[in-house]
Amino acid sequence: FDPRIQAQAVHTAQGYQQQISSAAGQDPEQLHPAIASVDNATGEVLGIYGGPDYISDQRNWATTPRQSASTFKAFALAAGLRDGFGLYNTFTGNTFTPPGESVESRNEFGMEYGNVTLTQATADSINTAFVDMTTQMEDGPTKIAQAAMDAGAPEGPGWDTNTSRISLGIAEVSPLHMAAAYATFANGGRAVPPHVVQKVTDAEGTVLY
């Protein structure tokens, strides 16, 4: 652990907990901010914040899988590129009903974008474009799930490969594993598992592991 990063993680998480709860008129105890910082080249966990007090709440919220929301779209992007799409391929940015489904796919606040490139879809987090791309890929949801696992996000609750909306956030990933999976992109596409023990030595200092 890096003491400076760890201290900043605690300061930031606890500051947001009070700030957001006060603004929303909510009990701070019901908000669970979590932070994980990972060295993308080595997988070393540099700092992690899972809660303010282990005595009052033994759950480490940084290692607990939670709904990933739009952060999962990065894996859909990777899957699409691996499947042959390019950054300038276009998809629908408007409300539409995916083939074989009965429920409309729509964007936040009902926004309509027209046809958009994959680059714009990623930059603006356009739900419908990612659903459109997923439906155009053969077995798209499974490929997206596989891209997430290849990046380092372990399969968990909500990983439904029967829906074209898998990239929109129902899949659960812990903040620690999401940090590690995103570190894969920063590491040139090479995944390195996160870890908190650098090495193990005996009493004489000989490295055992």
Side-chain angles (χ1 to χ4, degrees):
F1 290 83
D2 182 315
R4 180 183 60 84
I5 292 177
Q6 179 62 33
Q8 189 61 41
V10 173
H11 173 76
T12 301
Q14 293 185 354
Y16 271 116
Q17 186 167 29
Q18 293 297 329
Q19 179 182 343
I20 295 174
S21 298
S22 298
Q26 300 292 323
D27 179 2
E29 299 294 325
Q30 300 304 311
L31 182 68
H32 305 290
I35 293 176
S37 178
V38 176
D39 186 313
N40 60 278
T42 66
E44 294 178 3
V45 178
L46 303 176
I48 190 167
Y49 179 88
D53 186 356
Y54 180 80
I55 301 301
S56 62
D57 184 359
Q58 286 77 47
R59 174 170 296 188
N60 184 337
W61 290 97
T63 59
T64 299
R66 309 161 84 173
Q67 288 193 340
S68 56
S70 288
T71 60
F72 211 79
K73 287 175 181 166
F75 309 128
L77 171 63
L81 294 175
R82 288 206 298 194
D83 205 52
F85 288 114
L87 293 175
Y88 296 103
N89 281 123
T90 57
F91 304 94
T92 182
N94 293 337
T95 301
F96 81 109
T97 302
E101 299 183 23
S102 59
V103 179
E104 284 185 334
S105 174
R106 62 185 63 199
N107 297 309
E108 190 173 16
F109 308 121
M111 292 287 291
E112 304 285 356
Y113 296 89
N115 290 331
V116 298
T117 64
L118 186 53
T119 299
Q120 183 184 349
T122 303
D124 294 335
S125 191
I126 301 174
N127 293 346
T128 56
F130 278 96
V131 172
D132 186 17
M133 182 182 70
T134 302
T135 61
Q136 291 189 41
M137 297 164 59
E138 183 178 354
D139 205 8
T142 298
K143 290 178 178 176
I144 292 171
Q146 187 61 56
M149 288 186 282
D150 290 345
E155 186 175 6
W159 287 52
D160 186 358
T161 54
N162 294 312
T163 175
S164 61
R165 294 169 171 80
I166 187 172
S167 66
L168 304 188
I170 58 174
E172 296 187 16
V173 183
S174 73
L176 174 60
H177 280 118
M178 186 60 79
Y182 266 60
T184 298
F185 298 128
N187 195 35
R190 183 172 181 174
V192 182
H195 60 278
V196 298
V197 176
Q198 192 175 65
K199 62 183 176 181
V200 177
T201 65
D202 63 16
E204 282 72 44
T206 303
V207 176
L208 303 177
Y209 179 81

